[in-house]
Amino acid sequence: MSTKRSERRRVAAAIKIEKDSSPEPEEVPVENVDVDYEVSEDEGDEESANSSPKKKIKRESTGGYRYPRKFNERWLTVPEIKDWIHPLKMDTRYVWCKYCKKKIRAHLTDMRVHNKTKKHHRNLSTVRPEIPAELQMPQNYVENVSSNNIVISFPSQKNSSQEVIVVPVHQDGAASPSPSAKELIIPASVGFIGAGNMAQALMNAFLSKGLVEPHLLMASAPSNRNLEKLPSGMRTTHDNNRLVKECDIIFLCVKPHLLTEMIEGLDPLERDHSPLFISVVTGFDISTLEQLLGSLVDAPRVVRTMPNTPCMIGQGCCVYTMGNNANESDSKVVHSMLHSVGICAEIPEHQMDAACGLIGSGPAYIYAAIEALADGGVKMGLPRHLSQSLAAHMVKGAASMVLQSNKHPGQLKDEVCSPSGTTITAMHSLEKNGLRNALISAVEASANRSKELGKKS
């Protein structure tokens, strides 16, 4: 027994001596190390046929494996997803859905699942595709243009060529014009027939966002009462004919009962000058506008819009519909201009009257609600200024909750109401007094009135 134990000790000692005397292994460069490859299962047969395999990277700490997922250019050729995905340059692990306006993991399976959802299919037919400014990656990349810029192609009306402009953006997507760079400004003359509150809101937004230089803005009005309120550096006139002849984009901002008479008083334009007419007049449809403006120019390019008064502080809602003679470039220009005063979307013309009842007249409904809530606070003992401020901020906060939480307003309402609590008791009182019915009826009445104004025109 002792002989065997001694033999084992001698063998162990010999092995230890051999290990101590053996040289250290040489370091092998990373590029010379063999790497296992594995094709992702969710790529599908049609994706893996012509694709390069993905690296399988080993984790030293756990011994497991992670598979890096990044945007693949081949996905832009997959029929079921190529029309709505957009690569995110800042985070290649995700793609952007242009219709649902949300990020999706850069997995082919995830994108196919998203493509089958009911909400996505509904948005494909009702929502205009949109890419946030901070995510835009121009297809026609200009080598000397920074990746933080938006490239807009703007048509010159007196020249068939297109001028490319670059607008730099902040991290939040807001345009930040450079006063020293003239190429950052839209190279077109913009005119406003009418200088009321809505026209002033649009002019101030264009100037503050740097979309138009002051000397390229022009406004006309019958008196100086509104013209004196306009920003300095703008051109003003009392002659509508002069404005129409000198401007490439013309906003029609007059009252509905004055529009027909105003257009009839304009002289026909030269053949080489065909401005883009953008109407903010309630009730006048595209066909009526094209018929009226047809006396000035052949095949007039017309856009019908519906903004609201919060545009004056850059928090507006705008919808628009393109005329029969307007082109895709006109649509891009209109969208970029209206987007400077808030959110905007292109809708079919048959929805314009409904939009008038909701967003056009809607601010007045909320103003009345804030006033009534403030009166309630005063009745129960709050000071007037405090009650009004609390009511306004409460409405602003509730609206932000709806927009940011993506929850249904009814669900948010239920989260406030506790059993036998104060809120559910107050909601019962609102239902007895017909709050829902009053608001629905208000939208309906405004939309019907918009249709009546259109018929009278």
Side-chain angles (χ1 to χ4, degrees):
M1 179 66 67
S2 61
T3 304
K4 292 182 179 180
R5 185 180 295 114
S6 299
E7 183 67 24
R8 286 198 299 269
R9 288 176 178 174
R10 285 196 299 270
V11 172
I15 293 175
K16 185 176 184 302
I17 294 173
E18 183 178 356
K19 285 184 178 180
D20 294 340
S21 61
S22 60
E24 292 290 334
E26 297 182 359
E27 293 186 1
V28 182
V30 176
E31 58 269 17
N32 295 335
V33 178
D34 293 335
V35 181
D36 293 332
Y37 290 88
E38 179 171 319
V39 179
S40 175
E41 295 180 357
D42 66 355
E43 292 287 343
D45 296 338
E46 74 278 8
E47 295 296 322
S48 60
N50 301 318
S51 62
S52 60
K54 292 186 175 181
K55 291 184 179 181
K56 182 169 62 177
I57 302 174
K58 186 173 181 179
R59 288 182 178 173
E60 296 181 359
S61 58
T62 61
Y65 293 88
R66 65 178 178 87
Y67 298 91
R69 305 292 182 127
K70 295 183 178 181
F71 178 78
N72 195 319
E73 294 290 342
R74 299 193 315 274
W75 294 341
L76 295 175
T77 63
V78 179
E80 57 191 300
I81 65 173
K82 65 179 183 179
D83 294 330
W84 56 265
I85 64 173
H86 190 279
L88 301 183
K89 187 173 182 179
M90 302 303 296
D91 191 352
T92 57
R93 298 173 302 168
Y94 296 90
V95 296
W96 180 261
C97 177
K98 295 184 285 188
Y99 293 89
C100 299
K101 301 177 179 58
K102 62 183 293 187
K103 293 197 298 185
I104 304 167
R105 288 197 310 167
H107 291 207
L108 189 60
T109 299
D110 287 13
M111 290 184 284
R112 284 174 169 163
V113 169
H114 177 76
N115 187 61
K116 295 179 181 179
T117 61
K118 293 182 179 179
K119 180 179 179 180
H120 177 73
H121 280 276
R122 182 172 66 250
N123 290 342
L124 288 176
S125 58
T126 59
V127 176
R128 177 180 175 83
E130 182 178 342
I131 304 171
E134 65 269 21
L135 303 180
Q136 291 201 8
M137 296 172 56
Q139 293 181 352
N140 299 327
Y141 177 73
V142 183
E143 189 169 343
N144 61 349
V145 175
S146 169
S147 60
N148 292 329
N149 296 332
I150 308 173
V151 177
I152 303 175
S153 179
F154 186 87
S156 177
Q157 304 305 331
K158 297 183 180 180
N159 192 333
S160 59
S161 62
Q162 290 191 342
E163 302 183 41
V164 176
I165 60 173
V166 183
V167 180
V169 295
H170 291 302
Q171 293 298 326
D172 59 356
S176 58
S178 173
S180 61
K182 292 185 178 180
E183 67 272 15
L184 304 183
I185 312 300
I186 291 180
S189 181
V190 181
F192 287 81
I193 299 181
N197 291 335
M198 186 56 62
Q200 293 177 28
L202 293 172
M203 290 183 233
N204 289 328
F206 298 162
L207 291 174
S208 64
K209 299 291 184 179
L211 294 178
V212 183
E213 290 184 347
H215 73 273
L216 292 177
L217 272 178
M218 187 176 185
S220 67
S223 68
N224 290 326
R225 181 171 58 89
N226 287 327
L227 295 180
E228 293 174 349
K229 303 176 183 178
L230 301 180
S232 59
M234 286 184 51
R235 294 174 295 163
T236 60
T237 181
H238 300 303
D239 185 2
N240 292 335
N241 278 301
R242 176 193 167 193
L243 182 143
V244 172
K245 292 177 181 178
E246 296 182 8
C247 295
D248 299 312
I249 301 175
I250 300 171
F251 283 82
L252 305 176
C253 303
V254 300
K255 298 294 184 182
H257 65 280
L258 300 176
L259 180 64
T260 302
E261 181 181 356
M262 184 274 294
I263 295 178
E264 290 176 350
L266 298 176
D267 299 330
L269 300 175
E270 298 178 0
R271 289 183 176 273
D272 63 344
H273 181 48
S274 177
L276 175 64
F277 292 94
I278 303 177
S279 170
V280 297
V281 183
T282 303
F284 282 75
D285 58 20
I286 290 292
S287 61
T288 303
L289 291 170
E290 290 178 342
Q291 183 179 358
L292 291 172
L293 295 170
S295 61
L296 306 181
V297 60
D298 295 334
R301 294 157 43 238
V302 177
V303 181
R304 182 184 176 187
T305 68
M306 173 56 62
N308 61 7
T309 53
C311 291
M312 300 176 69
I313 59 171
Q315 298 293 325
C317 297
C318 298
V319 294
Y320 64 95
T321 184
M322 305 301 296
N324 299 319
N325 303 314
N327 52 47
E328 183 64 24
S329 182
D330 293 334
S331 177
K332 292 180 180 178
V333 170
V334 171
H335 184 84
S336 63
M337 296 183 78
L338 296 181
H339 191 70
S340 66
V341 295
I343 65 169
C344 68
E346 182 178 1
I347 62 174
E349 187 175 19
H350 69 270
Q351 297 178 358
M352 288 297 291
D353 293 321
C356 174
L358 178 60
I359 66 171
S361 304
Y365 315 153
I366 305 304
Y367 299 150
I370 293 175
E371 181 185 23
L373 290 169
D375 288 344
V378 172
K379 181 179 180 180
M380 301 312 296
L382 291 175
R384 166 63 65 180
H385 69 281
L386 177 61
S387 182
Q388 180 173 312
S389 178
L390 291 175
H393 278 83
M394 180 272 299
V395 171
K396 179 181 178 181
S400 299
M401 283 285 290
V402 174
L403 294 174
Q404 297 179 18
S405 67
N406 292 323
K407 295 181 180 179
H408 191 278
Q411 180 181 351
L412 292 173
K413 181 260 299 179
D414 291 344
E415 291 175 358
V416 182
C417 297
S418 57
S420 300
T422 57
T423 307
I424 191 63
T425 304
M427 290 302 301
H428 184 208
S429 177
L430 290 175
E431 293 294 344
K432 287 193 297 184
N433 289 280
L435 173 67
R436 295 172 185 268
N437 179 67
L439 293 175
I440 294 172
S441 298
V443 175
E444 181 182 24
S446 178
N448 290 336
R449 179 56 179 165
S450 176
K451 294 178 182 178
E452 293 175 4
L453 292 174
K455 292 178 180 179
K456 288 182 180 180
S457 62

